[in-house]
């Protein structure tokens, strides 16, 4: 048994506006199948996407805190000229420069219209085939521990593990990477960004959740009430949800 990540969940006061931003940022379509805005590759609505990760923007009543998210997206570019063009276009769409202690780096740190940080990377060969989202990046204290947990939790392949970084990617070889970066500081508040996982058809959601708890996941009560998904945290407190099979 294993789970597959199917979408990046972003909480927003105005899910329609944030969904439009990410749709235009990535060159994807925005769908509103329910109370959320789902951003996925251009074409008819397909969920889950067979290769990449969509973005599901979910309405919440409260604004984000000033604390930096410990989960963010890295966007891929194919040249320095393309990087500059993308940064300019994103700022015209409402993105703003963000300062998270990055110093002088070849990538640009921005924030979406509700302050969620993301990076526009300089061209890197490793991200040539990812699509517009190069990686989902998670700040952590122990990349090796994160590789152990997430490598067992999901059906993605662990590509690299060091004291500083752990890298996973779908065994199918497409879509973004999942990267855990050793970062100073501890998680203090819930993130506005997290991953949603989905069992494969025929797998038992309750059994998958029990397996995750045995691996070190902890139940999370955010006041979600009686919902068909299960909210959990990994061993370092990063939130994620296990969705019910459709």
């Amino acid at each position: 048994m294993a789970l597959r990540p199917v979408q990046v969940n972003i909480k927003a006061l105005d899910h329609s506006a944030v969904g439009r931003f990410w749709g235009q940022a990535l060159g994807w379509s925005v769908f509103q199948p329910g109370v959320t805005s789902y951003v996925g590759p251009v074409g008819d609505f397909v969920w889950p996407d067979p290769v990449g990760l969509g973005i599901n923007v979910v309405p919440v009543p409260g604004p984000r805190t000033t604390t930096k998210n410990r989960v963010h997206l890295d966007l891929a570019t194919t040249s320095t000229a393309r990087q500059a063009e993308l940064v300019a276009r994103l700022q015209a769409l409402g993105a703003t420069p963000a300062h998270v202690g990055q110093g002088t780096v070849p990538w640009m740190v921005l924030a979406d219209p509700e302050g969620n940080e993301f990076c526009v990377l300089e061209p890197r060969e490793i991200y040539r085939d990812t699509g517009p989202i190069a990686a989902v990046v998670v700040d952590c204290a122990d990349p090796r521990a994160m590789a152990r947990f997430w490598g067992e939790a999901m059906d993605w392949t662990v590509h690299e593990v060091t004291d500083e970084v752990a890298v996973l990617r779908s065994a199918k070889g497409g879509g973004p990477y999942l990267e855990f970066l050793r970062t100073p500081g501890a998680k203090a508040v819930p993130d506005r960004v997290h991953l949603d996982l989905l069992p494969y058809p025929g797998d038992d959601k309750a059994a998958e959740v029990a397996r995750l708890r045995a691996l070190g996941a902890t139940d999370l009560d955010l006041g979600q009430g009686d919902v068909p998904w299960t909210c959990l945290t990994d061993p370092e407190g990063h939130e994620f949800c296990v969705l019910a099979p459709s």
Side-chain angles (χ1 to χ4, degrees):
M1 294 189 296
L3 295 158
R4 49 185 166 152
V6 291
Q7 61 194 22
V8 177
N9 185 298
I10 299 178
K11 297 179 176 67
L13 280 172
D14 187 340
H15 71 92
S16 294
V18 174
R20 284 195 302 272
F21 170 83
W22 281 105
Q24 293 172 317
L26 302 175
W28 284 0
S29 298
V30 182
F31 307 92
Q32 293 184 315
V35 297
T36 70
S37 293
Y38 179 78
V39 182
V42 172
D44 295 332
F45 177 70
V46 175
W47 188 92
D49 185 82
V51 177
L53 297 179
I55 295 176
N56 197 38
V57 186
V58 179
V60 293
R64 62 160 286 173
T65 68
T66 56
T67 303
K68 173 184 175 291
N69 285 326
R70 291 182 69 83
V71 180
H72 72 266
L73 299 180
D74 280 352
L75 305 188
T77 62
T78 55
S79 68
T80 53
R82 172 61 180 150
Q83 181 189 22
E85 291 168 3
L86 181 57
V87 168
R89 185 168 67 81
L90 291 168
Q91 290 181 298
L93 292 172
T96 54
H99 302 283
V100 294
Q102 68 267 26
T104 302
V105 292
W107 59 89
M108 182 70 179
V109 184
L110 299 173
D112 74 12
E114 291 201 5
N116 299 299
E117 303 88 358
F118 65 96
C119 296
V120 180
L121 302 180
E122 77 284 3
R124 301 183 192 180
E125 187 61 33
I126 189 174
Y127 300 133
R128 289 282 178 175
D129 63 347
T130 60
I133 302 176
V136 180
V137 182
V138 183
D139 295 347
C140 71
D142 187 346
R144 293 185 184 277
M146 291 295 92
R148 287 192 296 272
F149 175 82
W150 286 94
E152 291 290 335
M154 307 190 311
D155 66 344
W156 283 20
T157 300
V158 178
H159 283 260
E160 178 186 359
V161 182
T162 71
D163 290 340
E164 300 301 320
V165 63
V167 179
L168 296 84
R169 196 187 192 196
S170 170
K172 298 176 183 177
Y177 290 82
L178 175 60
E179 301 176 353
F180 294 91
L181 299 184
R182 185 180 180 91
T183 307
K187 184 173 170 59
V189 298
D191 271 308
R192 303 285 279 191
V193 182
H194 70 256
L195 281 176
D196 285 339
L197 311 183
L198 183 70
Y200 279 92
D203 284 351
D204 183 83
K205 174 178 171 286
E208 284 295 317
V209 170
R211 185 176 66 84
L212 292 171
R213 292 184 184 120
L215 291 172
T218 302
D219 289 283
L220 175 66
D221 185 356
L222 293 170
Q224 66 269 22
D226 185 15
V227 292
W229 58 89
T230 301
C231 300
L232 300 168
T233 61
D234 73 12
E236 287 199 11
H238 304 109
E239 301 89 0
F240 66 98
C241 292
V242 179
L243 307 180
S246 56

